Amino acid sequence: IEAVTGVQTCALPIYLRAQLADRIARARGLIDYINSNGLLGKLSQSSRRQLSWDAEKLAAAAVLWHHQNARLG
């Protein structure tokens, strides 16, 4: 892994946790912005579907990371 990513194997869980936390925070910020400005109705159906799918993937990635981290640690 280190040769490909430049990240040592032992640092990978910390790197992944930080990356997931950052992506989740940015997604929540976008959702909050859309909701607070009443923009949900102005988004196309495909954009709403894509945002929903992206949120589901992030949630699944976080659950999977927690599960894998619990098994390793």
Side-chain angles (χ1 to χ4, degrees):
I1 294 175
E2 184 177 359
V4 176
T5 63
V7 176
Q8 293 179 353
T9 305
C10 64
L12 191 58
I14 295 170
Y15 173 75
L16 258 151
R17 180 180 59 194
Q19 184 182 22
L20 277 173
D22 182 54
R23 292 186 73 190
I24 289 170
R26 286 187 283 130
R28 282 185 180 150
L30 179 59
I31 290 167
D32 290 343
Y33 178 80
I34 289 170
N35 286 335
S36 66
N37 291 293
L39 300 174
L40 188 61
K42 296 181 180 183
L43 291 175
S44 67
Q45 182 66 30
S46 63
S47 294
R48 288 190 300 245
R49 200 173 319 126
Q50 186 64 51
L51 286 171
S52 176
W53 175 235
D54 290 344
E56 288 180 31
K57 287 190 291 186
L58 276 174
V63 169
L64 182 60
W65 182 85
H66 285 293
H67 174 73
Q68 184 67 20
N69 194 39
R71 289 181 57 104
L72 293 175

